Amino acid sequence: AQTVTQSQPEMSVQEAETVTLSCTYDTSENNYYLFWYKQPPSRQMILVIRQEAYKQQNATENRFSVNFQKAAKSFSLKISDSQLGDTAMYFCAFTAGGTSYGKLTFGQGTILTVHP
Amino acid sequence: SAVISQKPSRDICQRGTSLTIQCQVDSQVTMMFWYRQQPGQSLTLIATANQGSEATYESGFVIDKFPISRPNLTFSTLTVSNMSPEDSSIYLCSVVWPIDTEAFFGQGTRLTVV
């Protein structure tokens, strides 16, 4: 079984600044994928970024990038030029590949507040 | 991308009753997933629903409490049976589309049991 741990229950950042959210995971799988999801007060789960474990290159998506350290089983999310709309709960998630793809294991979540 | 319509968006139910949540997808998908999000908590997978076979439940969840139907490739229901206040949560359905890419979620059903 895999576990996902987010050690920061809450984070805050000033608008336009950079913030990093931490995530560690544990698995015996070789084929897996990692995600960051955003959940604003509307409850809608929104994919922020996706990383394939077999890719060494860190995923980037506009202002969002990850630092994927496979050996350390670490997967942090960096948000640059933070915007008020980034305020939300952020979840780190894991899924194995193959027939288990889509069965997500989530971390506890980090509440991010962006201040004007 | 996949668009998921989940109903109802919220409900308040009496203890001992049952509620059925519907999830409709605009694409044909092999697997649909049901999650529970307890107040202030993370999401936990309840079960995986495949069309034409019985759902597969995760540890701690049983079919008698959370029966699932999957009559076709675009629709599924989750029933929360014999509800107690501890069942008050947000329930979400999810699909992966296209295969092995992004997981999309419904808007969630906020259930309050009184």
Side-chain angles (χ1 to χ4, degrees):
Chain A
Q2 43 276 339
T3 59
V4 179
T5 303
Q6 294 176 248
S7 58
Q8 303 156 316
E10 295 186 38
M11 294 281 285
S12 64
V13 64
Q14 292 296 125
E15 198 174 8
E17 293 187 346
T18 296
V19 64
T20 298
L21 307 184
S22 301
C23 173
T24 58
Y25 62 95
D26 191 25
T27 184
S28 58
E29 300 279 349
N30 291 317
N31 178 21
Y32 59 90
Y33 300 76
L34 297 163
F35 307 85
W36 279 97
Y37 277 90
K38 167 184 175 181
Q39 186 180 44
S42 66
R43 300 198 307 262
Q44 183 66 55
M45 294 289 286
I46 301 166
L47 177 66
V48 175
I49 203 163
R50 173 178 179 264
Q51 174 80 44
E52 298 91 335
Y54 62 84
K55 288 189 177 179
Q56 291 188 339
Q57 186 174 5
N58 290 324
T60 62
E61 195 71 41
N62 301 316
R63 298 183 294 109
F64 300 89
S65 62
V66 298
N67 183 4
F68 175 45
Q69 300 291 325
K70 190 172 183 178
K73 293 183 178 158
S74 171
F75 184 61
S76 61
L77 174 69
K78 185 172 81 171
I79 305 174
S80 304
D81 186 24
S82 297
Q83 300 176 359
L84 296 178
D86 295 333
T87 293
M89 174 79 90
Y90 286 79
F91 291 101
C92 179
F94 170 105
T95 188
T99 57
S100 295
Y101 191 91
K103 296 184 179 182
L104 294 168
T105 300
F106 287 88
Q108 303 91 324
T110 298
I111 299 172
L112 175 67
T113 303
V114 180
H115 298 285
Chain B
S1 66
V3 176
I4 302 175
S5 175
Q6 187 173 337
K7 296 179 182 179
S9 60
R10 60 178 64 227
D11 207 340
I12 300 174
C13 300
Q14 297 291 322
R15 67 178 66 200
T17 63
S18 298
L19 175 72
T20 296
I21 302 167
Q22 300 180 0
C23 184
Q24 177 76 51
V25 189
D26 67 346
S27 303
Q28 293 186 334
V29 294
T30 303
M31 293 194 288
M32 296 179 75
F33 306 94
W34 288 97
Y35 292 86
R36 180 177 72 182
Q37 185 176 23
Q38 294 178 299
Q41 303 295 315
S42 185
L43 285 75
T44 300
L45 181 64
I46 297 172
T48 302
N50 291 317
Q51 192 267 335
S53 63
E54 287 221 349
T56 303
Y57 290 82
E58 299 299 309
S59 176
F61 299 96
V62 295
I63 187 171
D64 289 346
K65 178 66 176 177
F66 298 101
I68 288 171
S69 78
R70 184 78 201 276
N72 58 53
L73 291 174
T74 62
F75 187 79
S76 179
T77 67
L78 170 76
T79 299
V80 186
S81 302
N82 188 24
M83 289 183 286
S84 67
E86 291 70 35
D87 294 320
S88 296
S89 296
I90 297 170
Y91 293 85
L92 303 99
C93 64
S94 172
V95 302
V96 173
W97 182 258
I99 192 168
D100 286 359
T101 58
E102 180 175 348
F104 292 91
F105 288 81
Q107 308 95 313
T109 297
R110 182 182 295 275
L111 170 63
T112 302
V113 184
V114 297

